[in-house]
Structure formats: C-alpha cells, structure tokens
Amino acid sequence: TLNQLRITEPTTFADVVNLAEKHQVDLPYHHVVVVDDTTDLPLEDAFGTAGWSFECEVLMELAERTDHEVDTRAVIELSEVQMLALMRRWITEEHPDVAAGLDQLEEYNRREGRLWKERCFGILDGDGAPAAITKLRSDGRTAWVEDVYTVPEARGRGYARMLVTHATEL
C-alpha cells in the first residue's frame, strides 16, 4: 500500500521507529503495520508512551450463516465520491492530527478501491447523506469485507450488521 511499513518479524520499538524514519521521512505521517502477534502488545505500550496513535485490526472468517434474518433493504451502493467523503470523516474522527496527510489518505482509498475493484455499500441518513459504509473486495478467488464504519450519531441502529450481512450475501 501507499505509505505503509509492514513488520512481519519480532522487533523492537527503536528498530520500528528507525525504519519508519528512514523509509517514510518525507511523508506527512508514518503508517506502520505489525503482523507478528508476539510483538504487538509490547510495541503498543511503547508507541503509546512515545505519543503515537495505534489501532488494532481484526481479521475474522465467516464460518457459518447467521441463524436469523437481517433486513438489508436500506443498503445501497455508494459512489466513489460518497465513499471518499465518509472515509475523510472517519479518518478525521479517529486521527484529527493527520490533516496534512488527509489528501494523501483520500488518494490511497481511491487507488486501493480501484485496485481491488471494490464495491462500496452504505446506508443513507434522513437527509440523504451516507451514515454508514463498508467495502466488498475480491482478488477473484477470495472476497472480504473491509472498512466498516458508522458515523457516531447513527450508531446503535444495526447499520454495520446490515452492511456486513449484505456484503457477505454477495
């Protein structure tokens, strides 16, 4: 991906920072992904202490269908413009300090979406603005759901469940 340092071996906080500074020196923010589970927790503490923000990504596999129906009639396919607007809101909500890199993140979302031929699904609020989003991506053999988000004022209404259910049905 654009601007991503991917760590797959056990390492130290100092080594990660040195690699980020070496390879991402001219970029407005550093994006480091640590894959090795045995490394994550100690690095989280070190990054937090040093003032870095961090997040945990969850990977799940759909093992069986749900035992109850979920009404997905409110789900629509979002345009790229709608998707990008909602992604900008999500990014600024979670990372208000990345304003300088927001255009770069938007371009990243655009390029990555086109690469994976993603379909973006959403639910609109009463004013017709997207209130929730998810993306369905595929490499032609495996499909996956990516980026599930609901704006804070619309949470607790089952939108994420509707979106994920719709995407997995497809």
Side-chain angles (χ1 to χ4, degrees):
T1 65
L2 304 173
N3 189 20
Q4 184 180 95
L5 177 63
R6 191 169 182 84
I7 308 294
T8 59
E9 301 287 328
T11 191
T12 66
F13 173 71
D15 287 342
V16 171
V17 170
N18 287 336
L19 284 168
E21 288 175 353
K22 177 181 176 184
H23 295 286
Q24 300 172 318
V25 65
D26 294 328
L27 300 173
Y29 69 96
H30 301 309
H31 182 184
V32 178
V33 176
V34 179
V35 176
D36 184 346
D37 290 334
T38 63
T39 306
D40 286 349
L41 190 58
L43 285 180
E44 276 186 18
D45 293 340
F47 279 116
T49 300
W52 289 54
S53 62
F54 56 87
E55 59 189 50
C56 180
E57 291 191 11
V58 179
L59 302 176
M60 299 178 288
E61 180 179 341
L62 181 63
E64 58 188 55
R65 297 274 177 211
T66 181
D67 60 348
H68 62 280
E69 291 289 318
V70 176
D71 184 0
T72 61
R73 289 178 291 177
V75 176
I76 64 161
E77 195 146 0
L78 296 179
S79 70
E80 184 178 71
V81 170
Q82 289 172 307
M83 176 274 293
L84 290 171
L86 203 49
M87 293 303 294
R88 283 181 82 92
R89 177 162 180 194
W90 184 7
I91 292 164
T92 55
E93 176 188 321
E94 289 193 359
H95 306 284
D97 56 327
V98 298
L102 196 54
D103 290 339
Q104 182 184 9
L105 287 167
E106 182 178 279
E107 183 60 23
Y108 163 76
N109 272 280
R110 178 183 288 113
R111 287 182 183 187
E112 189 176 46
R114 290 176 181 171
L115 171 72
W116 293 114
K117 297 176 182 64
E118 74 184 8
R119 295 177 67 188
C120 296
F121 300 102
I123 296 177
L124 304 180
D125 65 16
D127 296 329
I133 187 174
T134 195
K135 300 173 182 177
L136 178 62
R137 295 181 176 166
S138 175
D139 63 5
R141 195 171 56 111
T142 304
W144 64 97
V145 175
E146 185 86 27
D147 293 337
V148 180
Y149 169 74
T150 303
V151 297
E153 62 273 15
R155 292 180 183 158
R157 299 178 189 168
Y159 291 169
R161 179 182 301 272
M162 288 180 216
L163 290 166
V164 171
T165 299
H166 179 78
T168 56
E169 286 173 352
L170 293 175

